[in-house]
Amino acid sequence: MAERSSGYIEGMIEEDKRSASAGKYLVWEDITVVAPQNLRNDATSRKQLLNGISGFAEPHRIMALMGPSGSGKSTLLDALAGRLPANVKMSGDVILNGNKRKLNCRDISYVTQEDLFLGSLTVRETLEYSAHLRLPSTMTKDDKNEVVDETLTKMGLQDCAENNIGNWHLRDEPTSGLDSASSFFVIWALRNIAHDGRIVICSIHQPSSDVFNLFNDLLLLAGGETVYFGEAKMAVKFFADAGFPCPTRKNPPDHFLRCVSSDFDQVIAALMISQRINYGSSGSLNSEMNLTTDEIKGKLINEYKSSTFSSNARKRMREILTLQEKPATKSNKENSSSWWRKLCTLISRSSLNMSRDIGYYWLRSVFYILVAVSAGSFFFKIGTNYQAIVARGKCDGFIYGLMICLSIGGIPFVIEELQVFRRERLGGHYGDAMFVLSNFLSSLPFVVAMAFSSGTILYYMVKFHSGFSHYLYFCLNLFCCIAVTEGTALIVSAVVPNLLMGIGAAAGVTVFMMMPSLLFRRLVDLPKIFWRYPMSYLSYAAWSIQGQFKNDMIGLEFDPQVPGEPKLKGEDVLLHMYGINPKISKWWDLAALAALLVCVRVIFYMVLKYKERASFFTHRLYAKANFQHKAKRAPLSKEPLISSRRHKTLNPLASQEGLGSPLP
């Protein structure tokens, strides 16, 4: 629940219970993280996010990770948990329990700020499914439930354990978020967890003095460097010894951030321009206070490097690394649940989410039935007269066109599941293939129900070609078409960055796939380049409609246009009017749909697995082209349009905050 306190707790790393009992330590030594800039990726354009960060975290203690925006807090947490992006380079060592930390280490739990849960599940169910995914298969169900009950008790969630977590359209007030008072309880609960023998590191933003007093240790960052690392209660003394004492009535965390955050200089400068306030007339009690925030930050960083706090931290790190033996660690397979158990857990959780969330499938099922009833009444008992030849083609196009478009409605709920999947994949709980398979199997009953319910209504109202085999083919064809469309929507949802773009892109892909079908032109009349080859073979709408034409027309006889002439055979109608070869079995069209169904799921898997790598490569190409374009453009003026901090005298920090006030 740490991520529920938005604005207070930005992230948290916790050592897992399996290693907590051993009383070990987490050590990070000379962590340096470098990321490429937007325009180029050479040595001169890389940005240093962290610079030689060292420290350690002990069990039975809770550490606060603080710093202004962009100071490197999230980067450090990502580095400790092994979750840095692929384009970011890291040097240094992260040692947990005497061993160098591996990527996606299962002994480290990472709680992010964002809400990344299935909103239809209760708090207890969310913890239960997480326990079944993460805890070893050797543990019984009762043992896992005991762990869940213990977690609920420690976090004080007993009263809301049966409440739904809530999502973008379903919000439950008891679990919708935490206010400033509740953040104290959260830190108190995390402190109790730490006292049980775990290591807890929290990235927190401007805590109150009461909350700050709950922390044992403090790591203060600024510009990717260490400003202070040591006991939280000694930070005030460090700032005072460095020449920047905390005012008597000022909250210490606010004072720390005020000293190292350059944004305050810009705020004061803006106030001076807009309000013509002379902040420089207040004077200072200490000449060393007449510094800008950047100068104060640099002075604090240098003071820490030469302080006893830094030397004591290095000494303690050496003691930990020397005394700590490397225990025999179990493999991830031994520490986690079995592959089959994970798959069953994911299917159960996803099925429960789909069945509870009315917008996932139930609402769409109602619309599928309404469309089926509407189309059935519109083409009721279509018959076999001459006009029915064209009417049957329009009926098939009407049915498949609307059924395909309705599949777009599931994108918001798919995106929610994808967000949860990405979080759990980073934790090493399961892989891409297992998610793809579980998603398909859990959605299968709903898609089958939608296809057969709407297909049955349509078949008997329109009076398509009679016979059980024709009825079965129609329903199977409709099922495959809906399933392929949903698979396409999954691919789009995994590629696009947000919901609105997902809906728009899915609608565009759907229309694009319907264009080479028989709705607009005969397949034989399509331009051979692109539309005939390959689009008509990639279009699931084309295979669906063509197969249904064969299923409905072959074997029927229609009245001639002129009375007295021979009846028109369905095979001739297919060949001459629609350009479809009736000798090719309709089951080949269904087989092609099934092949497309497999292909879209494989593509979905590939997108999940390689999207980050591909997006980074694409971004580099775009950035390189953009840089070359900007390099060719001559500057309009060599003079700066606005004055910068370099050309403006900023007020000292002392005159802004009265830093010369005595210590309490």
Side-chain angles (χ1 to χ4, degrees):
M1 292 295 294
E3 70 283 9
R4 291 291 184 183
S5 57
S6 178
Y8 295 93
I9 302 174
E10 299 174 341
M12 181 184 74
I13 284 184
E14 175 192 336
E15 186 187 20
D16 194 86
K17 183 179 181 180
R18 293 187 298 271
S19 58
S21 60
K24 302 301 181 180
Y25 301 84
L26 176 65
V27 178
W28 55 96
E29 188 173 14
D30 295 329
I31 299 297
T32 299
V33 178
V34 178
Q37 294 279 36
N38 291 332
L39 296 180
R40 292 179 295 181
N41 192 28
D42 53 24
T44 60
S45 64
R46 294 175 182 173
K47 181 179 181 180
Q48 194 171 57
L49 304 180
L50 295 177
N51 182 23
I53 305 297
S54 298
F56 60 92
E58 304 178 76
H60 307 284
R61 300 177 69 86
I62 180 172
M63 178 183 294
L65 178 59
M66 292 179 54
S69 300
S71 61
K73 302 186 299 296
S74 299
T75 304
L76 179 59
L77 289 179
D78 290 338
L80 297 180
R83 298 188 179 189
L84 290 172
N87 61 326
V88 174
K89 303 301 180 182
M90 168 186 152
S91 61
D93 295 325
V94 177
I95 301 172
L96 176 64
N97 300 342
N99 298 276
K100 288 189 177 181
R101 190 242 335 117
K102 300 179 180 179
L103 292 177
N104 298 331
C105 179
R106 294 182 185 274
D107 289 334
I108 294 180
S109 300
Y110 193 1
V111 182
T112 58
Q113 181 182 7
E114 295 81 10
D115 293 328
L116 298 175
F117 302 101
L118 296 179
S120 62
L121 302 185
T122 65
V123 176
R124 179 182 296 276
E125 289 168 344
T126 300
L127 293 177
E128 287 177 347
Y129 282 118
S130 179
H132 286 292
L133 285 174
R134 300 178 59 186
L135 297 180
S137 300
T138 54
M139 294 182 64
T140 64
K141 185 177 180 180
D142 293 336
D143 293 336
K144 295 178 180 179
N145 291 336
E146 184 179 350
V147 174
V148 171
D149 292 334
E150 180 184 353
T151 304
L152 290 171
T153 302
K154 288 183 176 180
M155 296 303 298
L157 299 175
Q158 305 96 316
D159 295 336
C160 60
E162 306 305 326
N163 293 340
N164 291 338
I165 291 179
N167 51 25
W168 62 278
H169 69 94
L170 176 64
R171 180 60 67 185
D172 196 330
E173 182 62 25
T175 58
S176 60
L178 298 177
D179 54 20
S180 58
S182 299
S183 64
F184 177 87
F185 173 76
V186 171
I187 300 300
W188 179 267
L190 294 176
R191 182 181 180 180
N192 292 336
I193 291 176
H195 287 173
D196 287 341
R198 295 180 179 87
I199 299 171
V200 179
I201 304 174
C202 292
S203 172
I204 190 166
H205 182 65
Q206 285 187 308
S208 64
S209 57
D210 293 331
V211 172
F212 181 74
N213 291 334
L214 295 177
F215 289 98
N216 303 110
D217 302 306
L218 170 65
L219 174 56
L220 181 62
L221 299 179
E225 298 197 59
T226 302
V227 175
Y228 173 79
F229 175 67
E231 293 188 48
K233 62 183 179 181
M234 299 300 295
V236 174
K237 182 180 183 305
F238 167 76
F239 273 77
D241 293 343
F244 307 102
C246 179
T248 305
R249 297 183 179 181
K250 191 173 182 64
N251 182 23
D254 291 339
H255 174 70
F256 302 155
L257 295 178
R258 177 64 185 84
C259 289
V260 298
S261 179
S262 303
D263 294 336
F264 284 99
D265 285 342
Q266 301 175 7
V267 172
I268 297 301
L271 289 175
M272 291 177 60
I273 295 175
S274 61
Q275 300 179 11
R276 305 294 181 182
I277 298 178
N278 184 9
Y279 285 93
S281 60
S282 61
S284 173
L285 297 178
N286 191 332
S287 61
E288 288 187 353
M289 296 295 182
N290 297 313
L291 304 172
T292 63
T293 303
D294 284 340
E295 292 171 334
I296 293 176
K297 178 173 62 177
K299 189 174 187 298
L300 287 171
I301 292 174
N302 292 329
E303 287 286 340
Y304 171 75
K305 291 179 179 179
S306 59
S307 67
T308 57
F309 296 99
S310 178
S311 59
N312 290 339
R314 291 281 183 180
K315 180 180 178 181
R316 180 56 179 160
M317 289 171 57
R318 287 193 297 268
E319 292 176 355
I320 294 174
L321 296 177
T322 302
L323 298 177
Q324 195 173 64
E325 298 180 357
K326 295 185 178 181
T329 58
K330 296 182 179 180
S331 64
N332 287 340
K333 292 184 178 180
E334 296 177 0
N335 287 333
S336 63
S337 182
S338 64
W339 187 90
W340 174 252
R341 181 65 60 85
K342 287 183 179 181
L343 179 61
C344 293
T345 301
L346 290 176
I347 293 174
S348 175
R349 185 180 68 176
S350 185
S351 299
L352 183 61
N353 179 49
M354 292 175 181
S355 61
R356 282 187 181 173
D357 201 326
I358 189 174
Y360 208 125
Y361 276 114
W362 295 117
L363 187 60
R364 278 192 291 156
S365 298
V366 172
F367 280 109
Y368 272 106
I369 293 175
L370 289 177
V371 169
V373 173
S374 301
S377 61
F378 198 75
F379 297 97
F380 187 70
K381 292 184 179 180
I382 199 166
T384 57
N385 54 31
Y386 184 78
Q387 290 76 17
I389 297 176
V390 178
R392 285 177 181 266
K394 292 181 179 179
C395 178
D396 291 332
F398 183 83
I399 293 170
Y400 284 93
L402 291 180
M403 295 295 184
I404 289 174
C405 292
L406 285 176
S407 298
I408 302 175
I411 288 182
F413 311 96
V414 170
I415 291 179
E416 182 186 35
E417 283 199 335
L418 283 173
Q419 291 173 342
V420 175
F421 155 71
R422 290 189 177 105
R423 174 179 64 84
E424 294 176 337
R425 179 181 61 178
L426 284 174
H429 301 165
Y430 53 89
D432 307 272
M434 188 176 295
F435 173 75
V436 173
L437 182 59
S438 64
N439 177 269
F440 173 73
L441 293 178
S442 57
S443 64
L444 187 62
F446 297 95
V447 179
V448 170
M450 289 190 303
F452 275 79
S453 60
S454 56
T456 301
I457 295 173
L458 284 165
Y459 182 82
Y460 287 103
M461 289 188 69
V462 177
K463 296 295 182 183
F464 284 125
H465 197 158
S466 61
F468 179 76
S469 63
H470 295 280
Y471 161 75
L472 181 62
Y473 182 93
F474 176 62
C475 293
L476 289 176
N477 189 38
L478 191 59
F479 159 75
C480 289
C481 182
I482 296 175
V484 175
T485 307
E486 295 227 333
T488 306
L490 285 172
I491 297 173
V492 173
S493 302
V495 172
V496 299
N498 55 61
L499 173 61
L500 294 179
M501 290 185 63
I503 295 177
V509 172
T510 299
V511 173
F512 199 72
M513 288 294 176
M514 292 174 62
M515 290 180 66
S517 66
L518 291 167
L519 294 177
F520 305 103
R521 295 191 69 180
R522 301 191 311 169
L523 297 180
V524 293
D525 296 333
L526 290 175
K528 291 185 177 181
I529 299 178
F530 185 71
W531 290 112
R532 183 73 182 277
Y533 307 103
M535 280 307 302
S536 66
Y537 291 90
L538 299 177
S539 171
Y540 49 85
W543 291 110
S544 300
I545 296 175
Q546 180 174 272
Q548 175 54 22
F549 274 16
K550 294 177 182 178
N551 182 59
D552 189 37
M553 295 286 191
I554 295 177
L556 288 182
E557 291 186 347
F558 297 91
D559 296 337
Q561 184 176 11
V562 179
E565 292 185 354
K567 287 184 174 290
L568 300 175
K569 292 184 178 182
E571 291 83 349
D572 295 332
V573 172
L574 288 176
L575 183 62
H576 299 292
M577 180 175 289
Y578 294 106
I580 299 175
N581 186 358
K583 294 182 180 180
I584 301 177
S585 174
K586 62 184 179 182
W587 297 103
W588 284 112
D589 297 279
L590 190 62
L593 269 179
L596 286 176
L597 176 58
V598 175
C599 288
V600 294
R601 292 290 171 167
V602 172
I603 294 174
F604 179 46
Y605 164 77
M606 300 295 288
V607 169
L608 293 178
K609 190 172 183 65
Y610 299 108
K611 176 193 173 184
E612 182 179 350
R613 197 176 305 172
S615 61
F616 171 63
F617 178 74
T618 305
H619 178 73
R620 284 188 59 186
L621 291 179
Y622 170 77
K624 183 177 181 180
N626 190 30
F627 176 78
Q628 293 175 349
H629 174 70
K630 289 184 177 182
K632 294 179 180 179
R633 294 172 55 186
L636 297 178
S637 175
K638 295 184 180 179
E639 298 295 330
L641 296 179
I642 58 174
S643 59
S644 63
R645 198 186 316 174
R646 292 178 54 195
H647 305 92
K648 182 182 297 183
T649 302
L650 296 177
N651 283 301
L653 184 62
S655 63
Q656 301 169 17
E657 291 289 337
L659 291 182
S661 55
L663 283 170

